[in-house]
Amino acid sequence: MREALRGAVVVSALCGSAAWVLCGPAAAQEAVKVAFIDPLSGGGAPTGEAGLRHFQYMAEVLNGRQKQFRFEVLAYDNKVNPQETLIAAQKGIDAGARVLVQGNGSSAAAALTDFVAKHNERNPDRQVVYINYSAVDPSLTNEKCNYWHFRFDANSDIKMEALTSFMKTRPEIKKVYLINQDYSFGQSVRQQARAMLKAKRPDIEIVGDEVTPLQKVNDFAPYVTKIRASGADSVITGNWAQDFNLLLKAAAEAGLQASFYTYYAGGTGGPSVVRQTGLAHRVFEVSQGTANEGDAATQDIEAAFRARTGIAVTYPRVFNAMNALLTAMQEAGSSEARKVAPKLEQARLKPYVGSDAYVRPDDHQYFQTMFVHSFGPMEAGMRFDEEGTGWGWKMIGRVETKDTLVPTTCRMNRPS
């Protein structure tokens, strides 16, 4: 994948300019419309906008790299709402999209995967594949698994396994507070945090456990007051977008001296509020890799992406997903969902960062190397800071692909 992306940058240099204009496609290219469905308004908008820029960037890269398919991204705002998600999906299909991509909000993902299964059964001539790049409720590749759904993010159980394995090695952790969003993903985070900490560090005390309405809390000060009163030295949260940023903003204002173990501290705006807390290397994130740990070629891609979009690569899984999608289409010789899906479920590719990765055919979960990072002042050898803070991510833990495997209860209903 790095070679492919690097090749696209070279093509850009030859055929365009600093404005990153790519070579024009051949007339015979098959148009592939991709419907992007995520929050583009409200509290989740910065996260959705970042996802959209990743897909738009990859469409440009893939269009410049080959002449068989030409990708076009259609953007739809679902407001993190399941019903709005279904309306957007239908609009995308009516506009000609045969690939749906969505990620932020597992409740929206659950509605979408059901919709796709029913749509494809009823409309064999307009079938679609659903690329899930960030909705991590484990049920989506277990009891709700769907032949047309492919998840390129690690599910929340995989992430919590990596995070708690790291926490197990930190004897200073004595009291933990759990705060998560009140929907399927947040409930999964809190349940697995309890179960895994009990198994790995039974001496740790859970001193608080609560959930908050998804993207509806404007002031987390009352919650931070509770955290301080509990005596917690550590906080586990799966909060994302506004719900993470406002939580850390309140922590900074209150001078809360606790470590935060997170899924999405690196999201848009997250690094800036972490910097405000002054908690150097006390805010941790589990992810598929960040800017400073890739090889030289990957870091060059990071630099090109930042120059083109104005943001950091926060969704390396989008790169993985789009490369896997193109490869599947090339192998199938078609963009038709019924031909692409069998190829996509056999995908094996080098991920953006880490060792070899692959889609498991049993449930269409993508497995990849996972990392734990801490955020603090730039150090020698670091190339990238985040959001102009002068702080960057440092890798402090790594879990190889083979060690991220979790069982599945999926019983895949395959089309005849």
Side-chain angles (χ1 to χ4, degrees):
M1 173 186 161
R2 298 188 184 102
E3 292 300 324
L5 280 169
R6 183 164 49 187
V9 174
V10 172
V11 169
S12 175
L14 292 174
C15 304
S17 65
W20 219 84
V21 179
L22 296 175
C23 293
Q29 277 187 316
E30 180 179 346
V32 179
K33 293 185 178 181
V34 177
F36 175 89
I37 304 169
D38 249 350
L40 298 173
S41 62
T47 300
E49 289 283 0
L52 177 59
R53 291 187 195 184
H54 282 68
F55 278 102
Q56 290 172 330
Y57 179 87
M58 279 305 294
E60 292 185 29
V61 167
L62 299 186
N63 289 346
R65 164 175 142 193
Q66 47 77 49
K67 297 182 178 181
Q68 189 173 3
F69 302 98
R70 180 165 183 79
F71 293 88
E72 177 187 356
V73 179
L74 312 176
Y76 298 92
D77 180 11
N78 71 351
K79 305 177 179 65
V80 203
N81 179 281
Q83 187 57 40
E84 291 284 351
T85 298
L86 303 189
I87 293 171
Q90 190 61 62
K91 287 181 178 178
I93 293 170
D94 290 344
R98 295 298 175 263
V99 178
L100 309 182
V101 299
Q102 180 272 339
N104 293 293
S106 289
S107 56
L112 184 56
T113 193
D114 287 344
F115 169 88
V116 168
K118 292 175 183 176
H119 168 84
N120 285 0
E121 183 178 357
R122 297 168 181 169
N123 301 275
D125 59 328
R126 293 200 301 162
Q127 291 175 331
V128 297
V129 292
Y130 166 25
I131 302 295
N132 171 1
Y133 74 100
S134 204
V136 297
D137 182 350
S139 69
L140 295 168
T141 46
N142 284 295
E143 62 268 24
K144 290 186 69 66
C145 69
N146 169 12
Y147 177 75
W148 306 100
H149 165 263
F150 297 84
R151 173 158 51 200
F152 281 83
D153 197 359
N155 73 34
S156 62
D157 288 358
I158 297 171
K159 292 185 177 184
M160 187 56 70
E161 186 71 56
L163 199 59
T164 52
S165 291
F166 171 72
M167 294 176 71
K168 177 183 177 180
T169 68
R170 299 178 70 81
E172 67 271 24
I173 301 176
K174 304 295 184 183
K175 297 182 178 182
V176 171
Y177 201 101
L178 309 178
I179 181 167
N180 290 284
Q181 296 152 317
D182 192 11
Y183 74 114
S184 58
F185 161 64
Q187 294 290 350
S188 175
V189 172
R190 63 194 288 255
Q191 291 165 9
Q192 291 303 317
R194 279 185 168 277
M196 293 182 187
L197 285 177
K198 182 178 181 180
K200 300 174 185 180
R201 281 286 304 276
D203 59 302
I204 290 178
E205 181 183 1
I206 304 296
V207 295
D209 183 359
E210 60 185 306
V211 292
T212 63
L214 177 62
Q215 307 297 342
K216 292 182 179 178
V217 177
N218 294 317
D219 183 6
F220 275 84
Y223 297 100
V224 170
T225 298
K226 291 182 183 180
I227 295 171
R228 292 190 67 173
S230 74
D233 54 64
S234 302
V235 177
I236 293 178
T237 182
N239 284 18
W240 55 274
Q242 173 180 286
D243 288 344
F244 176 81
N245 295 347
L246 292 181
L247 172 62
L248 266 288
K249 181 175 183 291
E253 292 172 349
L256 177 63
Q257 294 297 301
S259 297
F260 285 79
Y261 296 86
T262 81
Y263 282 30
Y264 299 118
T268 304
S272 295
V273 296
V274 174
R275 177 66 181 85
Q276 291 171 19
T277 68
L279 296 173
H281 296 297
R282 292 185 64 186
V283 176
F284 306 90
E285 180 188 52
V286 59
S287 77
Q288 295 85 39
T290 59
N292 290 314
E293 68 222 20
D295 60 19
T298 301
Q299 292 196 8
D300 286 347
I301 296 165
E302 176 83 33
F305 180 83
R306 290 184 180 212
R308 179 72 176 94
T309 67
I311 61 174
V313 175
T314 53
Y315 291 113
R317 49 195 177 270
V318 171
F319 291 2
N320 298 337
M322 289 296 283
N323 274 283
L325 180 65
L326 173 61
T327 299
M329 289 182 175
Q330 289 176 326
E331 291 176 352
S334 171
S335 64
E336 292 181 43
R338 65 183 179 85
K339 296 180 181 179
V340 171
K343 302 297 183 181
L344 198 54
E345 73 171 3
Q346 300 293 333
R348 301 190 71 92
L349 69 153
K350 186 76 172 177
Y352 185 68
V353 177
S355 56
D356 290 345
Y358 63 93
V359 173
R360 181 166 63 184
D362 294 350
D363 58 353
H364 293 179
Q365 172 67 54
Y366 181 73
F367 291 96
Q368 59 204 301
T369 312
M370 299 298 296
F371 301 88
V372 177
H373 312 87
S374 65
F375 195 60
M378 293 287 284
E379 300 177 7
M382 286 186 176
R383 182 174 174 183
F384 301 101
D385 81 331
E386 301 299 329
E387 299 181 348
T389 60
W391 283 21
W393 291 105
K394 178 180 180 180
M395 196 242 318
I396 54 176
R398 175 178 175 136
V399 182
E400 296 300 334
T401 302
K402 64 182 178 59
D403 297 320
T404 69
L405 303 182
V406 294
T408 180
T409 60
C410 173
R411 294 186 176 181
M412 189 73 74
N413 183 18
R414 299 175 179 277
S416 54

